[in-house]
Amino acid sequence: MHLFTRTVTMTGSLPKAMAYCADIRGYVSEKLGQDIGLWSANFGAPHGTMVFSARVEGLAHLAEMNTTLMSDETYLDKLEAGAEFRGIPGTDALARPLNADLAAGTTPPVGAVAIVTMATAANGHMTDAVEWGLEIAAHAGNVGGVPIMVLASAFGEFGQLGWLSVTPDAATAQAATDAVNADEGYLKMINDAGDLFVPGTAHRRMTTRIA
């Protein structure tokens, strides 16, 4: 099972844009018969950034979903109706979890908070970067009390890894973050990363599920 995300930056009236995204999310979820998440970026992304998420079996499953939607006139009409809100072109991403089974987990509820950190492994350090990434995810998860999923990007920047934590609300996310940031073992592991990652590629973003 893989995690598919589509990230778009909306323009114009943000309340109207969010309502539009919620409407099309609901339609797609019903049409495909599976949960589609809609997340609004709080920090680490341009204002108006929205993320659609879905658990998929892989490329064949995505192709099947796309065929279903692109042959549906109502969906195409909804896409056209959102032309006034489109900003820069959206980005699709597909990632494979390295330490978890997406199929076994429950889907996050509305109001859930997701924090994802991305970084790209340096040339010649992919194996060590993955090993370090799995170790620090396990350590931080134990300290903060929130599981951290390690993801490997299938497309985009080669060698990009992600660390994803999802909590039921912002208060839980804050408590976990505070505990991890105060842990000496975690800080030492960050320092020990050394030259495993390409400088300047680390980035952290927080989003909240709104539909």
Side-chain angles (χ1 to χ4, degrees), residues 1 14 26 30 40 48 54 60-61 65 94 103 107 117 119 122 134 146 150 152 169-170 200-201 205:
M1 192 69 72
L14 186 55
E30 182 177 353
S40 175
H61 188 191
M65 292 166 61
L94 186 65
T107 56
T117 302
L134 292 170
V146 176
V150 182
D169 50 49
T201 61
R205 180 175 68 191

mmCIF file with all atom_site columns, all heavy atoms in Angstrom, residues 1 14 26 30 40 48 54 60-61 65 94 103 107 117 119 122 134 146 150 152 169-170 200-201 205:
data_model
loop_
_atom_site.group_PDB
_atom_site.id
_atom_site.type_symbol
_atom_site.label_atom_id
_atom_site.label_alt_id
_atom_site.label_comp_id
_atom_site.label_asym_id
_atom_site.label_entity_id
_atom_site.label_seq_id
_atom_site.pdbx_PDB_ins_code
_atom_site.Cartn_x
_atom_site.Cartn_y
_atom_site.Cartn_z
_atom_site.occupancy
_atom_site.B_iso_or_equiv
_atom_site.pdbx_formal_charge
_atom_site.auth_seq_id
_atom_site.auth_comp_id
_atom_site.auth_asym_id
_atom_site.auth_atom_id
_atom_site.pdbx_PDB_model_num
ATOM 1   N N   . MET A 1 1   ? 0.843   -1.193 0.000   1.00 0.00 ? 1   MET A N   1
ATOM 2   C CA  . MET A 1 1   ? 0.000   0.000  0.000   1.00 0.00 ? 1   MET A CA  1
ATOM 3   C C   . MET A 1 1   ? 0.882   1.248  0.000   1.00 0.00 ? 1   MET A C   1
ATOM 4   O O   . MET A 1 1   ? 1.878   1.306  0.710   1.00 0.00 ? 1   MET A O   1
ATOM 5   C CB  . MET A 1 1   ? -0.913  -0.012 1.217   1.00 0.00 ? 1   MET A CB  1
ATOM 6   C CG  . MET A 1 1   ? -2.024  1.024  1.187   1.00 0.00 ? 1   MET A CG  1
ATOM 7   S SD  . MET A 1 1   ? -3.300  0.699  -0.045  1.00 0.00 ? 1   MET A SD  1
ATOM 8   C CE  . MET A 1 1   ? -4.143  -0.721 0.684   1.00 0.00 ? 1   MET A CE  1
ATOM 9   N N   . LEU A 1 14  ? -10.231 32.477 -0.072  1.00 0.00 ? 14  LEU A N   1
ATOM 10  C CA  . LEU A 1 14  ? -9.832  31.221 0.561   1.00 0.00 ? 14  LEU A CA  1
ATOM 11  C C   . LEU A 1 14  ? -11.035 30.424 1.086   1.00 0.00 ? 14  LEU A C   1
ATOM 12  O O   . LEU A 1 14  ? -11.095 29.204 0.888   1.00 0.00 ? 14  LEU A O   1
ATOM 13  C CB  . LEU A 1 14  ? -8.828  31.483 1.675   1.00 0.00 ? 14  LEU A CB  1
ATOM 14  C CG  . LEU A 1 14  ? -8.217  30.230 2.322   1.00 0.00 ? 14  LEU A CG  1
ATOM 15  C CD1 . LEU A 1 14  ? -7.567  29.334 1.273   1.00 0.00 ? 14  LEU A CD1 1
ATOM 16  C CD2 . LEU A 1 14  ? -7.201  30.621 3.379   1.00 0.00 ? 14  LEU A CD2 1
ATOM 17  N N   . GLY A 1 26  ? -15.456 15.277 -1.616  1.00 0.00 ? 26  GLY A N   1
ATOM 18  C CA  . GLY A 1 26  ? -16.589 14.432 -1.294  1.00 0.00 ? 26  GLY A CA  1
ATOM 19  C C   . GLY A 1 26  ? -17.076 13.658 -2.505  1.00 0.00 ? 26  GLY A C   1
ATOM 20  O O   . GLY A 1 26  ? -17.412 12.466 -2.397  1.00 0.00 ? 26  GLY A O   1
ATOM 21  N N   . GLU A 1 30  ? -16.858 9.506  -2.961  1.00 0.00 ? 30  GLU A N   1
ATOM 22  C CA  . GLU A 1 30  ? -18.062 8.710  -3.226  1.00 0.00 ? 30  GLU A CA  1
ATOM 23  C C   . GLU A 1 30  ? -17.946 7.961  -4.545  1.00 0.00 ? 30  GLU A C   1
ATOM 24  O O   . GLU A 1 30  ? -18.316 6.787  -4.644  1.00 0.00 ? 30  GLU A O   1
ATOM 25  C CB  . GLU A 1 30  ? -19.290 9.621  -3.248  1.00 0.00 ? 30  GLU A CB  1
ATOM 26  C CG  . GLU A 1 30  ? -20.601 8.881  -3.456  1.00 0.00 ? 30  GLU A CG  1
ATOM 27  C CD  . GLU A 1 30  ? -21.804 9.809  -3.395  1.00 0.00 ? 30  GLU A CD  1
ATOM 28  O OE1 . GLU A 1 30  ? -21.631 11.004 -3.063  1.00 0.00 ? 30  GLU A OE1 1
ATOM 29  O OE2 . GLU A 1 30  ? -22.922 9.338  -3.685  1.00 0.00 ? 30  GLU A OE2 1
ATOM 30  N N   . SER A 1 40  ? -5.531  21.047 5.059   1.00 0.00 ? 40  SER A N   1
ATOM 31  C CA  . SER A 1 40  ? -5.176  22.451 4.859   1.00 0.00 ? 40  SER A CA  1
ATOM 32  C C   . SER A 1 40  ? -3.847  22.738 5.559   1.00 0.00 ? 40  SER A C   1
ATOM 33  O O   . SER A 1 40  ? -3.679  22.405 6.733   1.00 0.00 ? 40  SER A O   1
ATOM 34  C CB  . SER A 1 40  ? -6.271  23.363 5.431   1.00 0.00 ? 40  SER A CB  1
ATOM 35  O OG  . SER A 1 40  ? -5.889  24.727 5.347   1.00 0.00 ? 40  SER A OG  1
ATOM 36  N N   . GLY A 1 48  ? -3.114  28.973 1.455   1.00 0.00 ? 48  GLY A N   1
ATOM 37  C CA  . GLY A 1 48  ? -3.996  28.421 0.422   1.00 0.00 ? 48  GLY A CA  1
ATOM 38  C C   . GLY A 1 48  ? -3.582  27.048 -0.053  1.00 0.00 ? 48  GLY A C   1
ATOM 39  O O   . GLY A 1 48  ? -4.217  26.492 -0.951  1.00 0.00 ? 48  GLY A O   1
ATOM 40  N N   . ALA A 1 54  ? -4.769  9.864  -0.389  1.00 0.00 ? 54  ALA A N   1
ATOM 41  C CA  . ALA A 1 54  ? -5.472  8.592  -0.572  1.00 0.00 ? 54  ALA A CA  1
ATOM 42  C C   . ALA A 1 54  ? -4.481  7.455  -0.420  1.00 0.00 ? 54  ALA A C   1
ATOM 43  O O   . ALA A 1 54  ? -3.301  7.586  -0.782  1.00 0.00 ? 54  ALA A O   1
ATOM 44  C CB  . ALA A 1 54  ? -6.130  8.533  -1.945  1.00 0.00 ? 54  ALA A CB  1
ATOM 45  N N   . ALA A 1 60  ? -0.949  0.877  -10.860 1.00 0.00 ? 60  ALA A N   1
ATOM 46  C CA  . ALA A 1 60  ? -2.098  0.324  -11.571 1.00 0.00 ? 60  ALA A CA  1
ATOM 47  C C   . ALA A 1 60  ? -3.400  0.818  -10.941 1.00 0.00 ? 60  ALA A C   1
ATOM 48  O O   . ALA A 1 60  ? -4.366  1.152  -11.647 1.00 0.00 ? 60  ALA A O   1
ATOM 49  C CB  . ALA A 1 60  ? -2.042  -1.202 -11.563 1.00 0.00 ? 60  ALA A CB  1
ATOM 50  N N   . HIS A 1 61  ? -3.428  0.867  -9.611  1.00 0.00 ? 61  HIS A N   1
ATOM 51  C CA  . HIS A 1 61  ? -4.603  1.363  -8.908  1.00 0.00 ? 61  HIS A CA  1
ATOM 52  C C   . HIS A 1 61  ? -4.834  2.838  -9.227  1.00 0.00 ? 61  HIS A C   1
ATOM 53  O O   . HIS A 1 61  ? -5.977  3.269  -9.465  1.00 0.00 ? 61  HIS A O   1
ATOM 54  C CB  . HIS A 1 61  ? -4.416  1.156  -7.400  1.00 0.00 ? 61  HIS A CB  1
ATOM 55  C CG  . HIS A 1 61  ? -5.636  1.464  -6.595  1.00 0.00 ? 61  HIS A CG  1
ATOM 56  N ND1 . HIS A 1 61  ? -5.614  1.552  -5.215  1.00 0.00 ? 61  HIS A ND1 1
ATOM 57  C CD2 . HIS A 1 61  ? -6.925  1.726  -6.954  1.00 0.00 ? 61  HIS A CD2 1
ATOM 58  C CE1 . HIS A 1 61  ? -6.810  1.837  -4.771  1.00 0.00 ? 61  HIS A CE1 1
ATOM 59  N NE2 . HIS A 1 61  ? -7.634  1.954  -5.804  1.00 0.00 ? 61  HIS A NE2 1
ATOM 60  N N   . MET A 1 65  ? -8.091  4.579  -11.020 1.00 0.00 ? 65  MET A N   1
ATOM 61  C CA  . MET A 1 65  ? -8.810  5.711  -10.431 1.00 0.00 ? 65  MET A CA  1
ATOM 62  C C   . MET A 1 65  ? -8.902  6.863  -11.431 1.00 0.00 ? 65  MET A C   1
ATOM 63  O O   . MET A 1 65  ? -9.962  7.484  -11.591 1.00 0.00 ? 65  MET A O   1
ATOM 64  C CB  . MET A 1 65  ? -8.099  6.172  -9.158  1.00 0.00 ? 65  MET A CB  1
ATOM 65  C CG  . MET A 1 65  ? -8.161  5.176  -8.010  1.00 0.00 ? 65  MET A CG  1
ATOM 66  S SD  . MET A 1 65  ? -6.983  5.550  -6.670  1.00 0.00 ? 65  MET A SD  1
ATOM 67  C CE  . MET A 1 65  ? -7.537  7.173  -6.153  1.00 0.00 ? 65  MET A CE  1
ATOM 68  N N   . LEU A 1 94  ? 3.819   10.130 -4.758  1.00 0.00 ? 94  LEU A N   1
ATOM 69  C CA  . LEU A 1 94  ? 3.524   8.757  -4.373  1.00 0.00 ? 94  LEU A CA  1
ATOM 70  C C   . LEU A 1 94  ? 4.679   8.273  -3.510  1.00 0.00 ? 94  LEU A C   1
ATOM 71  O O   . LEU A 1 94  ? 5.835   8.360  -3.898  1.00 0.00 ? 94  LEU A O   1
ATOM 72  C CB  . LEU A 1 94  ? 3.392   7.872  -5.615  1.00 0.00 ? 94  LEU A CB  1
ATOM 73  C CG  . LEU A 1 94  ? 2.950   6.423  -5.383  1.00 0.00 ? 94  LEU A CG  1
ATOM 74  C CD1 . LEU A 1 94  ? 1.533   6.380  -4.831  1.00 0.00 ? 94  LEU A CD1 1
ATOM 75  C CD2 . LEU A 1 94  ? 3.033   5.630  -6.689  1.00 0.00 ? 94  LEU A CD2 1
ATOM 76  N N   . ALA A 1 103 ? -2.400  -0.303 5.051   1.00 0.00 ? 103 ALA A N   1
ATOM 77  C CA  . ALA A 1 103 ? -3.666  -1.029 4.967   1.00 0.00 ? 103 ALA A CA  1
ATOM 78  C C   . ALA A 1 103 ? -4.192  -1.398 6.346   1.00 0.00 ? 103 ALA A C   1
ATOM 79  O O   . ALA A 1 103 ? -5.396  -1.572 6.538   1.00 0.00 ? 103 ALA A O   1
ATOM 80  C CB  . ALA A 1 103 ? -3.498  -2.287 4.120   1.00 0.00 ? 103 ALA A CB  1
ATOM 81  N N   . THR A 1 107 ? -8.066  5.402  8.978   1.00 0.00 ? 107 THR A N   1
ATOM 82  C CA  . THR A 1 107 ? -7.879  6.694  8.332   1.00 0.00 ? 107 THR A CA  1
ATOM 83  C C   . THR A 1 107 ? -8.037  7.810  9.355   1.00 0.00 ? 107 THR A C   1
ATOM 84  O O   . THR A 1 107 ? -8.897  7.739  10.233  1.00 0.00 ? 107 THR A O   1
ATOM 85  C CB  . THR A 1 107 ? -8.905  6.896  7.199   1.00 0.00 ? 107 THR A CB  1
ATOM 86  O OG1 . THR A 1 107 ? -10.229 6.746  7.733   1.00 0.00 ? 107 THR A OG1 1
ATOM 87  C CG2 . THR A 1 107 ? -8.686  5.876  6.102   1.00 0.00 ? 107 THR A CG2 1
ATOM 88  N N   . THR A 1 117 ? 8.196   15.753 7.679   1.00 0.00 ? 117 THR A N   1
ATOM 89  C CA  . THR A 1 117 ? 9.530   16.302 7.452   1.00 0.00 ? 117 THR A CA  1
ATOM 90  C C   . THR A 1 117 ? 10.136  15.575 6.260   1.00 0.00 ? 117 THR A C   1
ATOM 91  O O   . THR A 1 117 ? 10.096  14.345 6.197   1.00 0.00 ? 117 THR A O   1
ATOM 92  C CB  . THR A 1 117 ? 10.433  16.115 8.682   1.00 0.00 ? 117 THR A CB  1
ATOM 93  O OG1 . THR A 1 117 ? 9.823   16.743 9.807   1.00 0.00 ? 117 THR A OG1 1
ATOM 94  C CG2 . THR A 1 117 ? 11.807  16.722 8.451   1.00 0.00 ? 117 THR A CG2 1
ATOM 95  N N   . ALA A 1 119 ? 13.563  15.178 3.535   1.00 0.00 ? 119 ALA A N   1
ATOM 96  C CA  . ALA A 1 119 ? 14.986  15.430 3.304   1.00 0.00 ? 119 ALA A CA  1
ATOM 97  C C   . ALA A 1 119 ? 15.463  14.453 2.241   1.00 0.00 ? 119 ALA A C   1
ATOM 98  O O   . ALA A 1 119 ? 14.911  13.346 2.100   1.00 0.00 ? 119 ALA A O   1
ATOM 99  C CB  . ALA A 1 119 ? 15.794  15.276 4.589   1.00 0.00 ? 119 ALA A CB  1
ATOM 100 N N   . ALA A 1 122 ? 22.030  12.063 0.524   1.00 0.00 ? 122 ALA A N   1
ATOM 101 C CA  . ALA A 1 122 ? 23.167  12.445 -0.309  1.00 0.00 ? 122 ALA A CA  1
ATOM 102 C C   . ALA A 1 122 ? 23.636  11.261 -1.140  1.00 0.00 ? 122 ALA A C   1
ATOM 103 O O   . ALA A 1 122 ? 23.409  10.095 -0.781  1.00 0.00 ? 122 ALA A O   1
ATOM 104 C CB  . ALA A 1 122 ? 24.301  12.949 0.578   1.00 0.00 ? 122 ALA A CB  1
ATOM 105 N N   . LEU A 1 134 ? 15.025  5.291  9.969   1.00 0.00 ? 134 LEU A N   1
ATOM 106 C CA  . LEU A 1 134 ? 14.201  4.325  10.684  1.00 0.00 ? 134 LEU A CA  1
ATOM 107 C C   . LEU A 1 134 ? 14.496  4.368  12.187  1.00 0.00 ? 134 LEU A C   1
ATOM 108 O O   . LEU A 1 134 ? 13.580  4.289  13.018  1.00 0.00 ? 134 LEU A O   1
ATOM 109 C CB  . LEU A 1 134 ? 14.443  2.921  10.144  1.00 0.00 ? 134 LEU A CB  1
ATOM 110 C CG  . LEU A 1 134 ? 13.954  2.664  8.713   1.00 0.00 ? 134 LEU A CG  1
ATOM 111 C CD1 . LEU A 1 134 ? 14.467  1.325  8.211   1.00 0.00 ? 134 LEU A CD1 1
ATOM 112 C CD2 . LEU A 1 134 ? 12.426  2.712  8.646   1.00 0.00 ? 134 LEU A CD2 1
ATOM 113 N N   . VAL A 1 146 ? 3.864   9.145  19.785  1.00 0.00 ? 146 VAL A N   1
ATOM 114 C CA  . VAL A 1 146 ? 3.126   9.170  18.521  1.00 0.00 ? 146 VAL A CA  1
ATOM 115 C C   . VAL A 1 146 ? 3.940   8.426  17.470  1.00 0.00 ? 146 VAL A C   1
ATOM 116 O O   . VAL A 1 146 ? 5.102   8.783  17.219  1.00 0.00 ? 146 VAL A O   1
ATOM 117 C CB  . VAL A 1 146 ? 2.882   10.624 18.039  1.00 0.00 ? 146 VAL A CB  1
ATOM 118 C CG1 . VAL A 1 146 ? 2.207   10.626 16.666  1.00 0.00 ? 146 VAL A CG1 1
ATOM 119 C CG2 . VAL A 1 146 ? 2.028   11.374 19.054  1.00 0.00 ? 146 VAL A CG2 1
ATOM 120 N N   . VAL A 1 150 ? 7.996   6.288  8.207   1.00 0.00 ? 150 VAL A N   1
ATOM 121 C CA  . VAL A 1 150 ? 9.071   6.684  7.297   1.00 0.00 ? 150 VAL A CA  1
ATOM 122 C C   . VAL A 1 150 ? 8.631   6.341  5.879   1.00 0.00 ? 150 VAL A C   1
ATOM 123 O O   . VAL A 1 150 ? 8.216   5.207  5.604   1.00 0.00 ? 150 VAL A O   1
ATOM 124 C CB  . VAL A 1 150 ? 10.387  5.963  7.639   1.00 0.00 ? 150 VAL A CB  1
ATOM 125 C CG1 . VAL A 1 150 ? 11.501  6.435  6.696   1.00 0.00 ? 150 VAL A CG1 1
ATOM 126 C CG2 . VAL A 1 150 ? 10.777  6.212  9.088   1.00 0.00 ? 150 VAL A CG2 1
ATOM 127 N N   . ALA A 1 152 ? 9.398   6.591  1.558   1.00 0.00 ? 152 ALA A N   1
ATOM 128 C CA  . ALA A 1 152 ? 10.363  6.770  0.472   1.00 0.00 ? 152 ALA A CA  1
ATOM 129 C C   . ALA A 1 152 ? 9.602   7.233  -0.765  1.00 0.00 ? 152 ALA A C   1
ATOM 130 O O   . ALA A 1 152 ? 8.645   6.576  -1.201  1.00 0.00 ? 152 ALA A O   1
ATOM 131 C CB  . ALA A 1 152 ? 11.087  5.460  0.183   1.00 0.00 ? 152 ALA A CB  1
ATOM 132 N N   . ASP A 1 169 ? -5.338  15.682 17.201  1.00 0.00 ? 169 ASP A N   1
ATOM 133 C CA  . ASP A 1 169 ? -5.581  17.117 17.351  1.00 0.00 ? 169 ASP A CA  1
ATOM 134 C C   . ASP A 1 169 ? -4.254  17.853 17.551  1.00 0.00 ? 169 ASP A C   1
ATOM 135 O O   . ASP A 1 169 ? -3.199  17.240 17.714  1.00 0.00 ? 169 ASP A O   1
ATOM 136 C CB  . ASP A 1 169 ? -6.516  17.397 18.524  1.00 0.00 ? 169 ASP A CB  1
ATOM 137 C CG  . ASP A 1 169 ? -6.079  16.693 19.808  1.00 0.00 ? 169 ASP A CG  1
ATOM 138 O OD1 . ASP A 1 169 ? -4.889  16.803 20.160  1.00 0.00 ? 169 ASP A OD1 1
ATOM 139 O OD2 . ASP A 1 169 ? -6.922  16.027 20.433  1.00 0.00 ? 169 ASP A OD2 1
ATOM 140 N N   . ALA A 1 170 ? -4.335  19.188 17.553  1.00 0.00 ? 170 ALA A N   1
ATOM 141 C CA  . ALA A 1 170 ? -3.139  20.020 17.668  1.00 0.00 ? 170 ALA A CA  1
ATOM 142 C C   . ALA A 1 170 ? -2.485  19.901 19.036  1.00 0.00 ? 170 ALA A C   1
ATOM 143 O O   . ALA A 1 170 ? -1.257  19.968 19.152  1.00 0.00 ? 170 ALA A O   1
ATOM 144 C CB  . ALA A 1 170 ? -3.481  21.472 17.366  1.00 0.00 ? 170 ALA A CB  1
ATOM 145 N N   . GLY A 1 200 ? 20.255  21.734 2.820   1.00 0.00 ? 200 GLY A N   1
ATOM 146 C CA  . GLY A 1 200 ? 19.204  22.606 2.311   1.00 0.00 ? 200 GLY A CA  1
ATOM 147 C C   . GLY A 1 200 ? 17.946  21.899 1.842   1.00 0.00 ? 200 GLY A C   1
ATOM 148 O O   . GLY A 1 200 ? 16.988  22.569 1.418   1.00 0.00 ? 200 GLY A O   1
ATOM 149 N N   . THR A 1 201 ? 17.917  20.564 1.900   1.00 0.00 ? 201 THR A N   1
ATOM 150 C CA  . THR A 1 201 ? 16.732  19.849 1.411   1.00 0.00 ? 201 THR A CA  1
ATOM 151 C C   . THR A 1 201 ? 15.737  19.513 2.514   1.00 0.00 ? 201 THR A C   1
ATOM 152 O O   . THR A 1 201 ? 14.617  19.074 2.227   1.00 0.00 ? 201 THR A O   1
ATOM 153 C CB  . THR A 1 201 ? 17.127  18.536 0.696   1.00 0.00 ? 201 THR A CB  1
ATOM 154 O OG1 . THR A 1 201 ? 17.814  17.666 1.624   1.00 0.00 ? 201 THR A OG1 1
ATOM 155 C CG2 . THR A 1 201 ? 18.025  18.820 -0.494  1.00 0.00 ? 201 THR A CG2 1
ATOM 156 N N   . ARG A 1 205 ? 6.445   20.507 7.316   1.00 0.00 ? 205 ARG A N   1
ATOM 157 C CA  . ARG A 1 205 ? 5.147   21.115 7.062   1.00 0.00 ? 205 ARG A CA  1
ATOM 158 C C   . ARG A 1 205 ? 4.099   20.518 7.993   1.00 0.00 ? 205 ARG A C   1
ATOM 159 O O   . ARG A 1 205 ? 4.154   19.340 8.327   1.00 0.00 ? 205 ARG A O   1
ATOM 160 C CB  . ARG A 1 205 ? 4.735   20.879 5.601   1.00 0.00 ? 205 ARG A CB  1
ATOM 161 C CG  . ARG A 1 205 ? 3.389   21.475 5.216   1.00 0.00 ? 205 ARG A CG  1
ATOM 162 C CD  . ARG A 1 205 ? 3.130   21.297 3.730   1.00 0.00 ? 205 ARG A CD  1
ATOM 163 N NE  . ARG A 1 205 ? 2.931   19.926 3.350   1.00 0.00 ? 205 ARG A NE  1
ATOM 164 C CZ  . ARG A 1 205 ? 2.887   19.478 2.104   1.00 0.00 ? 205 ARG A CZ  1
ATOM 165 N NH1 . ARG A 1 205 ? 3.075   20.327 1.089   1.00 0.00 ? 205 ARG A NH1 1
ATOM 166 N NH2 . ARG A 1 205 ? 2.687   18.204 1.839   1.00 0.00 ? 205 ARG A NH2 1
#
